[in-house]
Amino acid sequence: MGRQAAVIAAASGLVLTVGVPAQASDAEREANSFTAVTAAQPVTVDVSVPADTRISFERASVTSEAAPVAPAAPAEVSVQSTETAEPAVDVEVEAPAPVVEEAPQPEPKPEPAAAVSAGNSSVAGAAYAGIGNPYVYGGTSPTAGWDCSGFVQWAYAQAGKSIPRVNQWSAMTPTSNPKPGDLVVQRGGAHVGIYVGNGQMISALNPSDGTLLHAVSAMPVSGFYTLP
C-alpha cells in the first residue's frame, strides 16, 4: 500500500516530513501488538510555524472515469420517398355532338298499284290522290273534308264516272274477284271505300285518322262491287 506524509515547508527552506509506513515488518507488528493499547491513544503534537508557512499534503493520485452514458434513442429518420407523383393528365373528352331533332316529315302518299288492268284503274289512281285529306261527316270536298261515301263519289267523279251520293253499290254489280278501283262495302253498308289491290283499300275512315290506306280486313266486309 502507499503512504501519506505531511510536508511542512518553512520559510527558511527546511522541509519536515512526518511519515507513517503503510506496511511494517514482523518485529514492528509484534511491537505494535504489545503497545496496541498505548498506540490507540491519540497523540497531540504542537508545532509552531511562522504565519507564512505553506503546508501541502501528498495525496494518492485519483483517476476518475466518466459515468457511462446510456446510448441515445435512435432519432426518427424522416425518409422522403424518391418516387414522384405522376403529373395530372388533362384528358380531353370530346363532347357528343348535339342531337338535332328533325321536324317530322309528312308521310309520302303510297304510289298507285302498278298492275291495274280493269276499267276502274283511274278510280284507284284518284283514291291515292285523296290520302291525307280530313274526315268530315257529310262532307264531299277534299279540302274542307269528306266522309266515306263523299270520298268514294269524288274519286269516281275524277275518273269521269257518276255514282249516287249514298248507297253507291245500288248502281253497281257485285263481284267476287275485285279489281283496283272497285267498291268495298263493309259493316252492312255502314262504311265504304275503294279497293286498290293486295288486300288494301283507301277510305275516309274517321275524324282522327282522316283519309288513309289500310287493310280490307280492318272491318268486316259485306261485299265488293264493280261499275261496268
Side-chain angles (χ1 to χ4, degrees):
M1 301 295 289
R3 63 177 182 170
Q4 293 183 346
V7 181
I8 303 173
S12 61
L14 297 176
V15 177
L16 175 62
T17 302
V18 180
V20 178
Q23 185 174 2
S25 63
D26 295 338
E28 290 173 346
R29 285 197 299 273
E30 290 177 2
N32 291 335
S33 175
F34 180 74
T35 61
V37 175
T38 303
Q41 298 300 321
V43 178
T44 303
V45 181
D46 294 330
V47 180
S48 298
V49 296
D52 57 353
T53 302
R54 293 184 297 111
I55 300 174
S56 64
F57 297 91
E58 291 184 0
R59 297 178 180 273
S61 60
V62 179
T63 302
S64 62
E65 294 182 359
V69 179
E76 294 184 359
V77 180
S78 177
V79 179
Q80 184 175 3
S81 175
T82 58
E83 296 181 359
T84 57
E86 295 183 359
V89 179
D90 292 333
V91 179
E92 294 185 358
V93 179
E94 185 177 354
V99 178
V100 179
E101 295 185 359
E102 296 182 357
Q105 300 295 326
E107 295 183 0
K109 294 183 178 181
E111 296 294 333
V116 178
S117 57
N120 294 328
S121 61
S122 57
V123 175
Y128 274 101
I131 291 177
N133 291 324
Y135 176 98
V136 175
Y137 180 76
T140 58
S141 169
T143 56
W146 49 38
D147 58 11
C148 62
S149 59
F151 162 69
V152 169
Q153 187 184 40
W154 174 87
Y156 272 86
Q158 301 306 305
K161 301 179 182 295
S162 178
I163 59 174
R165 165 72 178 82
V166 294
N167 298 328
Q168 288 100 343
W169 59 90
S170 62
M172 299 181 181
T173 304
T175 179
S176 58
N177 185 24
K179 304 293 181 184
D182 288 345
L183 184 70
V184 183
V185 179
Q186 296 175 306
R187 299 178 61 183
H191 185 73
V192 292
I194 298 174
Y195 184 73
V196 294
N198 299 322
Q200 300 291 310
M201 63 180 288
I202 298 173
S203 70
L205 194 59
N206 53 52
S208 299
D209 298 319
T211 306
L212 75 164
L213 174 72
H214 60 88
V216 173
S217 60
M219 286 181 285
V221 178
S222 300
F224 296 95
Y225 295 84
T226 185
L227 188 63

